[in-house]
Amino acid sequence: MTVQWFPGHMAKARRQIQEKLKLVDIVYELLDARIPYSSSNPMMNEIIKHKPKLIILNKADIADATVTQQWVNYFKQQNQPVITVDALHQNAIKQIVEASKEILKEKFEKEKAKGLRPRPIRAMILGIPNVGKSTLTNNLAKRKAAQTGDRPGVTKAQQWIKVEKELELLDTPGVLWPKFEDQRVGYNLAVTGAIKDTILHLDDIILYALDYLINNYPERLIERYHLSGEFDDKVAVLEEIGRKRGFLQSGGYVDYDKVYEILLREIRGLKLGRLSFERPIDIKKED
Ligand code: GDP
């Protein structure tokens, strides 16, 4: 699933998206609620310019609800409209239609005042891979997603999904590249499963994740792995987890590979509860 992004790809993606932008009133920037900063494209605002934007924090069902609320406040403080959704399990139509109407209220009132006929809002989804663009599209399409373009002889023109009387969505989401420069971003994308584990070393990903958990969710680690709570030395913590779980090799040595594998699987499998890997305060520190 992982795609290598080269400068040529980025320029092409950007061009294609800017063409489509001409057709829409509003952009939905889809982010992973667990890592809103790490799952954003570094040039989003530059690409969409002054087009109104709604930030949609997806996967809210698996993010830490308290932290998600901090993110909502963070965006609202910047006058950036934001909603949280769970596109996999929950119908998101009502929330998205309501938020879009609110953002475009003035524009549509102006059109009305000029005597223009009422029309649906037109929107497109944008985001980096794995944030849930296809899932949200299907969710909004209520399964009758536009498939009409594949017949031979039919130009694959823009297809619109009629979400509601008041909203039409471009059927293909715009795919943008993730941030590359920031190592922390790479680890966040890896921990949440957005990029393949093989791109970064598994032990580095685990040490990064463990450090975040120790600093932000120590009690969950203690409870899950029956730890002593001595967290000064991360390797010692891995060893303790390995011993508690009985992941031992001959000679009684801890099988660290097994510890890495289980820890990552259990983090992703919500065995430590709903986790977020980024808080607004982490971003502010960097800025
Ligand atoms: P895209 O690459 O942006 O189109 O992302 P996909 O729609 O393919 O979703 C990536 C993965 O995230 C899939 O395994 C989805 O099932 C999962 N996913 C998408 N939305 C949600 C959500 O709201 N909650 C949860 N728990 N998983 C989601």
Side-chain angles (χ1 to χ4, degrees):
M1 241 263 293
T2 312
V3 186
Q4 281 286 113
W5 287 90
F6 295 106
H9 293 144
M10 295 189 224
K12 190 172 169 208
R14 184 179 173 154
R15 240 184 356 259
Q16 286 175 341
I17 285 166
Q18 278 173 333
E19 273 307 305
K20 291 183 185 180
L21 278 170
K22 294 176 188 158
L23 307 171
V24 302
D25 302 296
I26 186 167
V27 162
Y28 301 146
E29 182 182 11
L30 203 58
L31 302 176
D32 185 325
R34 298 169 296 174
I35 48 167
Y37 173 81
S38 293
S39 61
S40 66
N41 167 271
M43 292 175 72
M44 177 62 75
N45 290 339
E46 204 177 307
I47 291 170
I48 69 167
K49 304 229 166 65
H50 299 298
K51 192 68 74 178
K53 177 176 90 176
L54 171 65
I55 289 184
I56 302 180
L57 298 176
N58 188 36
K59 309 197 187 187
D61 57 314
I62 52 176
D64 180 333
T66 309
V67 179
T68 301
Q69 189 55 48
Q70 291 171 10
W71 280 109
V72 167
N73 297 341
Y74 170 84
F75 288 119
K76 283 188 173 161
Q77 272 163 20
Q78 300 168 17
N79 290 321
Q80 169 56 59
V82 57
I83 57 172
T84 64
V85 305
D86 160 15
L88 197 55
H89 307 100
Q90 226 177 34
N91 189 308
I93 292 177
K94 209 171 150 215
Q95 256 180 301
I96 290 178
V97 171
E98 283 311 306
S100 308
K101 277 163 73 176
E102 181 59 32
I103 293 169
L104 294 167
K105 212 163 127 191
E106 251 180 66
K107 178 176 182 182
F108 277 66
E109 273 168 7
K110 270 188 197 153
E111 288 191 5
K112 197 177 162 193
K114 281 191 205 155
L116 293 172
R117 281 215 316 210
R119 61 178 185 91
I121 292 170
R122 289 193 149 181
M124 76 179 291
I125 298 174
L126 280 180
I128 69 164
N130 205 54
V131 288
K133 295 180 298 301
S134 322
T135 308
L136 181 65
T137 304
N138 289 334
N139 180 307
L140 294 176
K142 291 182 262 183
R143 289 179 176 278
K144 54 172 178 154
Q147 298 162 333
T148 38
D150 279 346
R151 273 172 289 146
V154 176
T155 325
K156 173 84 180 146
Q158 300 308 329
Q159 301 288 335
W160 295 94
I161 295 169
K162 223 174 172 42
V163 177
E164 290 255 284
K165 244 194 1 258
E166 300 137 296
L167 178 67
E168 290 179 3
L169 181 71
L170 216 50
D171 68 345
T172 6
V175 186
L176 287 165
W177 56 94
K179 300 186 165 91
F180 300 115
E181 308 77 28
D182 187 343
Q183 208 178 31
R184 216 175 45 85
V185 168
Y187 288 132
N188 280 332
L189 292 172
V191 175
T192 54
I195 58 175
K196 277 200 189 131
D197 303 340
T198 45
I199 291 184
L200 297 164
H201 289 292
L202 187 59
D203 48 353
D204 289 334
I205 299 170
I206 286 298
L207 284 173
Y208 170 83
L210 184 62
D211 188 59
Y212 199 83
L213 293 175
I214 288 171
N215 285 311
N216 295 280
Y217 301 100
E219 67 298 335
R220 304 225 198 145
L221 273 174
I222 293 172
E223 195 187 326
R224 176 77 196 166
Y225 301 107
H226 309 290
L227 301 179
S228 64
E230 253 328 304
F231 285 141
D232 294 339
D233 177 358
K234 276 181 290 195
V235 178
V237 176
L238 291 171
E239 163 137 15
E240 202 183 344
I241 293 173
R243 293 206 176 279
K244 286 274 157 68
R245 281 291 178 92
F247 299 150
L248 301 176
Q249 294 167 316
S250 57
Y253 296 109
V254 165
D255 181 350
Y256 283 97
D257 288 335
K258 183 88 183 160
V259 177
Y260 299 154
E261 185 198 316
I262 294 297
L263 204 50
L264 192 57
R265 192 197 299 165
E266 299 205 339
I267 289 169
R268 288 180 181 164
L270 302 179
K271 295 285 193 252
L272 287 103
R274 292 163 53 173
L275 301 169
S276 293
F277 284 91
E278 211 164 57
R279 300 172 304 164
I281 196 167
D282 301 328
I283 309 309
K284 282 180 185 154
K285 261 187 243 155
E286 280 190 6
D287 293 347

